[in-house]
Amino acid sequence: MTLVDTRTPNPKQFIKGATGDWEIVIGMEVHAQVTSESKLFSGSSTEFGQPPNNNVSFVDAAMPGMLPVINVQCVRQAVRTGLGLKAQINKRSLFDRKNYFYPDLPQGYQISQFKDPIVGEGKVLLDMGEDGEVEIGIERLHLEQDAGKSIHDQHPNMSFVDLNRSGVALMEIVSKPDLRSSDEAKAYLSKLRTILRYLGTCDGNMEQGSMRADINVSVRKPGGEFGTRCEIKNVNSMRFAGQAIEYEARRQIDILEDGGAIDQETRLYDPKSGQTRSMRSKEEAHDYRYFPDPDLLPLEFDDALIAELAANLPELPDEKQARLIADYGITHYDASVLVTEQVKADFFEAVAKGRDGKLAVNWVNNELFGRLSKEGLNIEDSPVSPDQLGGIIDLISSGEISGKIAKDLFEIVWTEGGNPAEIVESRGMKQVTDTGAIEKVVDEIIAANPDKVAQVADKPSMVGWFVGQVMKASQGKANPQAVNEILKAKLGL
Ligand code: ADP
Ligand code: MG
């Protein structure tokens, strides 16, 4: 791949070394398991958590004479992912054999795509907060088979092989070396996962191994030539990705500043020590002897298939974010929080439809999501439904309850359930907007506190104390705006 630098160096991302500033350069190869019922070239199930060797056909076990048959569903998923990455879709692609020996690879080769992948160049946009939007180039996406799993810890002197994963479809998504910090790398993984989840093409569960990243890291003087990279294999958590990059960049800087050179090698990250260590050097790298798989024809489809899949794509996070901002007048930041998960945006829209968008987003993002995360609950398990939250918001908008009472009401709905309007009615929580009643309380408080009245003439900010007294006397039910106006008039402010 020819490397092109598309980024302007950002001094905030530089790392200080003894000889001056350094810049990190990162490119990622993400393996994402395709969401499909059956494997890439056989009809075996892909179901997770089955007993060992439960999901294995003759093809997956590489019995002699067995022939692979492409799973159209996996092809459709790869094309949909390509469309989601705004990438070029290649109507003709090739499957190649990548030859190597491993006990859990019964064929002795992996079927992958080498020179002609199904998806070409695309892009992913990252929202880096105050540093603005960053575009990360996608080099390619190809389809390949997963290998089986060797199990070494169940017998004192034997290893076992579980072929359940053997032949499961993976998409390898290769980025350009466009990332410049561990934060960007984490944001990239997170955005990619969000897009895959929206598309339903990969569940993105890093803990279960359905998404894992090979992270290529190099360092250079800011804006200079690309340095020699090391590849950190199989990172399966966002946090570890960040830690591995930080460690690896520092290690390379130290070597270079000591007058050494970086060996291009494959390394592993050990979360326990927080360090990366060498796995194999470039000299030991496999020669995979790629060649087109003679059992498979070139993969060909027409524009109609692409058009059909494009027409049925869901609304993706970037488009959804722009629409939420336009439709509901909410901030860029609030919208970015909502689109991280489809259920979040859906919940918000169910609440905000026909209501004040700013009020709705405040209640959804701050009150509800805040409370859910405090209790460790998912949105799906929220005790407060969109209808109930909408009901609370309606009572605020109509002036029937104050923002403060609304919080008490939210608490009641959260713990006891029920219809917000009925709760307000039956428990007498309605806000007092009757100015006569408020005036009476104001008069009493002014009469009882002549010293404070004398002070407030010199120090108008003391009106806050009076507001507090009136609210207390009305048990929080007086309309705060009315209280303020009446107080100001009576105190001559
Ligand atoms: P290979 O096939 O040998 O792994 P590629 O050229 O396909 O190599 O690149 C693999 C990954 O390494 C890509 O994600 C690419 O962006 C990244 N990469 C290439 N050069 C560098 C570099 N100098 N520093 C960091 N990442 C790099
Ligand atoms: Mg590689």
Side-chain angles (χ1 to χ4, degrees):
M1 132 187 200
T2 38
L3 302 180
V4 183
D5 195 354
T6 59
R7 302 285 307 272
T8 311
N10 175 358
K12 279 204 257 171
Q13 297 178 321
F14 296 170
I15 301 188
K16 286 251 169 306
T19 59
D21 289 332
W22 294 85
E23 197 181 17
I24 314 182
V25 173
I26 306 155
M28 294 219 217
E29 296 157 275
V30 171
H31 288 92
Q33 182 178 328
V34 177
T35 300
S36 65
E37 294 284 324
S38 49
K39 297 183 180 179
L40 184 54
F41 297 114
S42 83
S44 319
S45 166
T46 57
E47 199 181 336
F48 183 78
Q50 291 296 295
N53 296 311
N54 200 62
N55 301 345
V56 186
S57 72
F58 288 137
V59 177
D60 312 320
M63 291 297 154
M66 293 299 112
L67 290 174
V69 176
I70 185 85
N71 178 345
V72 175
Q73 186 56 25
C74 295
V75 174
R76 294 169 69 91
Q77 292 287 60
V79 173
R80 295 178 70 241
T81 306
L83 293 169
L85 299 174
K86 320 285 184 223
Q88 187 200 318
I89 309 298
N90 296 326
K91 285 181 282 181
R92 184 176 194 274
S93 63
L94 291 180
F95 284 104
D96 298 279
R97 288 187 181 179
K98 179 179 182 181
N99 298 282
Y100 62 99
F101 173 80
Y102 214 77
D104 56 26
L105 185 77
Q107 288 168 155
Y109 57 84
Q110 175 192 31
I111 305 180
S112 181
Q113 298 192 299
F114 186 46
K115 290 218 178 75
D116 298 283
I118 183 166
V119 173
E121 293 189 346
K123 63 179 178 201
V124 170
L125 294 178
L126 306 185
D127 183 352
M128 297 310 296
E130 55 184 48
D131 287 329
E133 197 163 76
V134 171
E135 183 179 314
I136 304 304
I138 296 295
E139 174 71 19
R140 59 186 276 156
L141 175 156
H142 64 254
L143 277 169
E144 63 184 27
Q145 305 173 292
D146 205 351
K149 193 170 80 179
S150 301
I151 304 168
H152 302 295
D153 56 1
Q154 298 202 348
H155 192 278
N157 46 24
M158 274 199 277
S159 284
F160 298 113
V161 173
D162 175 7
L163 294 180
N164 280 351
R165 291 189 75 102
S166 169
V168 165
L170 301 178
M171 297 180 282
E172 179 169 334
I173 303 167
V174 183
S175 88
K176 301 201 180 249
D178 288 350
L179 298 156
R180 293 289 178 272
S181 69
S182 58
D183 280 344
E184 286 188 1
K186 286 188 280 184
Y188 171 75
L189 282 174
S190 156
K191 183 66 179 285
L192 191 58
R193 183 171 67 174
T194 300
I195 294 172
L196 296 173
R197 285 181 170 168
Y198 267 63
L199 291 164
T201 56
C202 168
D203 66 27
N205 288 336
M206 295 188 84
E207 324 74 55
Q208 289 183 3
S210 31
M211 194 176 133
R212 33 192 211 265
D214 297 344
I215 308 175
N216 295 270
V217 180
S218 65
V219 297
R220 64 176 181 180
K221 290 288 176 178
E225 294 284 306
F226 283 119
T228 303
R229 70 190 149 107
C230 289
E231 180 178 4
I232 310 163
K233 273 272 173 215
N234 265 327
V235 180
N236 66 352
S237 109
M238 218 88 80
R239 197 158 51 89
F240 294 165
Q243 293 168 356
I245 291 165
E246 294 289 330
Y247 175 85
E248 181 59 19
R250 180 46 69 185
R251 186 188 72 87
Q252 293 183 12
I253 292 169
D254 290 347
I255 291 175
L256 293 170
E257 291 195 326
D258 278 350
I262 305 301
D263 292 328
Q264 186 174 334
E265 59 183 1
T266 304
R267 300 179 68 86
L268 283 179
Y269 178 66
D270 174 12
K272 281 203 204 87
S273 65
Q275 299 180 344
T276 64
R277 60 184 156 79
S278 183
M279 189 177 146
R280 59 172 181 255
S281 72
K282 200 187 177 186
E283 288 73 50
E284 301 162 50
H286 298 277
D287 180 353
Y288 294 116
R289 309 247 163 189
Y290 280 101
F291 65 87
D293 192 309
D295 291 340
L296 288 158
L297 289 168
L299 177 60
E300 289 181 303
F301 45 82
D302 54 15
D303 288 318
L305 176 85
I306 304 174
E308 182 232 319
L309 295 173
N312 291 301
L313 284 189
E315 182 180 41
L316 290 165
D318 293 340
E319 289 78 15
K320 196 185 280 292
Q321 182 170 356
R323 185 177 58 77
L324 293 182
I325 294 169
D327 285 2
Y328 300 99
I330 62 177
T331 63
H332 180 89
Y333 174 76
D334 278 329
S336 74
V337 170
L338 290 170
V339 301
T340 52
E341 287 177 53
Q342 237 161 344
V343 282
K344 284 188 176 169
D346 289 348
F347 195 107
F348 166 73
E349 288 210 76
V351 173
K353 274 246 154 62
R355 299 192 171 99
D356 177 350
K358 290 200 181 82
L359 194 55
V361 83
N362 183 33
W363 277 86
V364 172
N365 281 13
N366 301 330
E367 300 302 326
L368 182 73
F369 292 171
R371 185 63 187 274
L372 286 169
S373 86
K374 207 170 116 201
E375 312 266 342
L377 291 173
N378 291 323
I379 297 168
E380 293 86 340
D381 309 318
S382 170
V384 177
S385 72
D387 265 0
Q388 287 170 314
L389 192 55
I392 296 175
I393 291 170
D394 288 341
L395 292 162
I396 303 171
S397 295
S398 65
E400 283 168 272
I401 58 173
S402 65
K404 190 176 169 301
I405 295 282
K407 294 200 180 183
D408 299 340
L409 178 59
F410 177 81
E411 196 54 41
I412 295 170
V413 176
W414 178 281
T415 46
E416 301 171 27
N419 177 312
E422 283 167 16
I423 295 170
V424 164
E425 199 59 57
S426 67
R427 305 201 189 182
M429 294 168 78
K430 268 210 181 129
Q431 172 163 264
V432 179
T433 33
D434 168 2
T435 47
I438 297 175
E439 265 183 62
K440 202 168 144 264
V441 182
V442 168
D443 287 341
E444 282 166 17
I445 285 166
I446 287 179
N449 298 282
D451 50 331
K452 294 275 197 291
V453 175
Q455 287 169 16
V456 78
D458 295 330
K459 211 176 152 221
S461 64
M462 264 198 53
V463 73
W465 179 85
F466 286 92
V467 174
Q469 295 301 306
V470 177
M471 294 309 287
K472 206 161 129 194
S474 72
Q475 287 160 330
K477 282 186 271 180
N479 179 325
Q481 208 183 331
V483 170
N484 248 304
E485 277 163 19
I486 294 169
L487 268 171
K488 282 191 177 153
K490 300 230 174 210
L491 293 169
L493 298 172

